[in-house]
Amino acid sequence: MAVAGPRAHHQVTFAVLALGVAAFALLQSLVIPVLTTVQHELHTSQGTATWVLTAYLLSASIMTPILGRIGDMTGKKRVFVATLIALAAGSLLAAVASSIGVLIVARVIQGIGGGMVPVAFGIIRDEFPARKVTGAVGILASLTAVGAGLGIVLAGPIVNLLGYHWLFWLPMILTVVAAVSAVLFVPESPVRTPGRISWRPALLLSAWLVALLIALSQAPVWGWGSGPVIGLLTGAVVLAAGWVISELRAATPLIDMKMMRQTAVWTLNLVALLIGVGMYATFAFLPEFVQTPAAAGYGFGASITRSGLMLLPSAITMFGVGMFAGRLAARLGGKVLVVAGCLIGSVAMAILAFAHQQQWEIYLSNAIMGVGFGLAFAAMSALVVAAVPHSQTGVASGMNANIRTIGGSIGAAVMASIVTSQLGPSGLPKEAGYTIGFAAMAGGLVLAALAGLLIPSAQRLRPSVGEPDPSEIAMVAGGTVVVDSSE
């Protein structure tokens, strides 16, 4: 797919990558505030409507590492364009869906777009000047989280003006533009990793994720101690163990377990899991909290649009922090940013748990949350990309993003179980359910900060041939180079 002629300037490449990632990120969350609308429009139950979100996360969780590996093998541009095509096709199907089954299938197809994130990171590493890599990866990582936040903000106005089908038409248009731009302007990366896909690990990965997410999503309905839930959780553990064994025995593993055992890699993946738990749980349930009528003793009776605006500060501060995260990492080290981001995020969750009677408290907590997640996301992605050889960029960054998505699925399911276990006479959740849920998320982010302390301490590295001048190299953590992105 490489285009003849001179290679595009890296800033043009970045603009195209950002456009595609923004479309994928928006589709993560656009449906969250309108699940009730979808439920009524398609005449289905609340539990089934929730699968509109769960199916998307599940598909992305499975396809992200697979496509990251294929990108490393066959060419990152090819995979990037293919994921955009899948995202556009899924959006088209979702826009015309007349039943909940068709919509869920469309969301599964859209989830394939998750594979664009690791290959985008890989393209940046292959094409950008070394001193620009950290800053560019940080901004793109922040954009994935910002897009998720903006999706919640934009959902209300889109539904009010155009109807909920346009939640899919608009991203489809954006995705088509990104796909055409990628074909024209994104150069094909020269780095390849020979090999093939080991399908047994891929199937086992899919199986244990499906079992886990079905158990977590249905536990509030079936009961945590019910036979089906216990059976599914047990099956997930057994299948996960089989997946690890299969990866270790595979000639060309989907996930290189030796790489995953590197201290810098597994610690960052653990942090990603715990952050994903808190972030997605908040995005999923904070709109519901503020939309609750004040007569329930809490909540503000907010409309879809107003509830989205109450989450807007997190998107603004997250992107703003991401713009400067590269420079901060160069001065302070990525480890410091990860730990600080997790602690700041836990403060925001604690505010949501114990100080949510006034609207300004919701705005404040969201602004603080954006700062925390922005710091952590930007630093984590840059550290992971720099921690591994070029040949493993797609797999390593894809697994980190994938683990964050898995964490989000777990967090949303756990939060649902906590909130729905505290129902009042009117059928609405009690305030105590949200208090306990957000407090649990705050605790999870404290654990993430503790995990961040396990990231190897910073040290200096000598540049190899073709690497930037020593004056351009900042701190590195366990072999993870943090380069100043400033001019």
Side-chain angles (χ1 to χ4, degrees):
M1 276 190 191
V3 179
R7 301 177 82 81
H9 192 279
H10 67 271
Q11 291 180 349
V12 176
T13 298
F14 180 79
V16 177
L17 297 177
L19 184 63
V21 170
F24 170 75
L26 282 172
L27 282 166
Q28 284 186 14
S29 59
L30 273 172
V31 300
I32 290 175
V34 296
L35 285 177
T36 302
T37 301
V38 170
Q39 175 187 342
H40 294 314
E41 290 281 344
L42 299 181
H43 310 291
T44 187
S45 66
Q46 183 179 10
T48 304
T50 303
W51 273 93
V52 174
L53 174 63
T54 303
Y56 184 82
L57 294 174
L58 176 61
S59 175
S61 298
I62 294 168
M63 296 306 300
T64 294
I66 294 174
L67 292 175
R69 177 74 175 124
I70 293 175
D72 285 340
M73 289 166 46
T74 65
K76 301 177 183 70
K77 174 181 176 175
R78 289 184 176 89
V79 174
F80 187 75
V81 173
T83 58
L84 287 170
I85 293 172
L87 198 63
S91 298
L92 174 61
L93 183 60
V96 300
S98 58
S99 69
I100 190 65
V102 173
L103 181 56
I104 290 174
V105 170
R107 293 288 284 171
V108 170
I109 297 172
Q110 287 177 344
I112 296 173
M116 77 173 63
V117 177
V119 295
F121 289 161
I123 291 170
I124 287 174
R125 182 164 181 173
D126 292 346
E127 295 297 322
F128 280 43
R131 63 191 179 89
K132 295 284 188 180
V133 169
T134 299
V137 168
I139 293 173
L140 207 62
S142 296
L143 188 60
T144 62
V146 171
L150 285 178
I152 295 176
V153 175
L154 296 174
I158 292 173
V159 172
N160 291 338
L161 293 174
L162 303 170
Y164 86 89
H165 292 283
W166 281 88
L167 297 175
F168 305 109
W169 284 119
L170 293 177
M172 187 200 75
I173 295 170
L174 192 65
T175 305
V176 169
V177 172
V180 173
S181 300
V183 171
L184 294 177
F185 301 117
V186 174
E188 183 57 87
S189 299
V191 180
R192 294 286 193 282
T193 305
R196 60 183 179 83
I197 293 294
S198 298
W199 290 109
R200 181 179 296 174
L203 291 173
L204 288 171
L205 171 65
S206 304
W208 78 258
L209 284 176
V210 168
L212 175 65
L213 295 184
I214 290 177
L216 292 175
S217 63
Q218 295 301 313
V221 179
W222 297 343
W224 284 96
S226 66
V229 170
I230 293 175
L232 284 168
L233 291 175
T234 302
V237 172
V238 173
L239 290 168
W243 168 65
V244 172
I245 294 172
S246 180
E247 291 281 30
L248 290 171
R249 293 178 177 176
T252 55
L254 182 64
I255 304 297
D256 187 342
M257 290 299 168
K258 293 181 180 179
M259 176 192 70
M260 295 295 289
R261 287 200 296 264
Q262 293 180 25
T263 305
V265 176
W266 75 257
T267 51
L268 287 165
N269 285 339
L270 178 58
V271 173
L273 177 74
L274 294 170
I275 288 180
V277 169
M279 186 185 80
Y280 282 97
T282 304
F283 282 166
F285 283 88
L286 190 54
E288 181 180 330
F289 175 86
V290 299
Q291 289 173 19
T292 302
Y298 66 95
F300 306 98
S303 63
I304 296 175
T305 300
R306 188 164 147 234
S307 65
L309 291 174
M310 295 177 81
L311 272 69
L312 181 60
S314 64
I316 295 173
T317 56
M318 196 179 301
F319 186 74
V321 167
M323 295 289 290
F324 299 99
R327 298 179 185 181
L328 289 174
R331 292 183 174 90
L332 302 176
K335 174 179 178 177
V336 173
L337 295 195
V338 170
V339 174
C342 293
L343 291 176
I344 292 170
S346 69
V347 171
M349 294 294 181
I351 294 174
L352 286 176
F354 303 109
H356 51 237
Q357 300 301 322
Q358 304 295 326
Q359 291 189 39
W360 67 266
E361 294 169 333
I362 305 297
Y363 285 106
L364 175 63
S365 63
N366 273 277
I368 295 173
M369 188 188 311
V371 173
F373 289 156
L375 287 174
F377 281 162
M380 277 195 305
S381 299
L383 289 172
V384 169
V385 167
V388 299
H390 280 270
S391 61
Q392 293 180 318
T393 296
V395 173
S397 58
M399 195 60 190
N400 188 258
N402 184 51
I403 287 174
R404 190 168 69 232
T405 304
I406 294 171
S409 303
I410 294 171
V414 170
M415 188 74 172
S417 181
I418 294 173
V419 171
T420 57
S421 68
Q422 302 276 339
L423 295 179
S426 63
L428 292 172
K430 295 181 180 178
E431 182 179 6
Y434 287 104
T435 297
I436 296 171
F438 288 129
M441 299 303 112
L445 288 172
V446 171
L447 291 177
L450 294 175
L453 293 175
L454 299 176
I455 298 172
S457 299
Q459 54 182 314
R460 294 274 180 177
L461 281 186
R462 292 171 52 193
S464 59
V465 176
E467 290 298 310
D469 183 85
S471 63
E472 295 177 335
I473 297 181
M475 305 297 281
V476 299
T480 58
V481 186
V482 181
V483 186
D484 189 351
S485 62
S486 59
E487 294 290 350

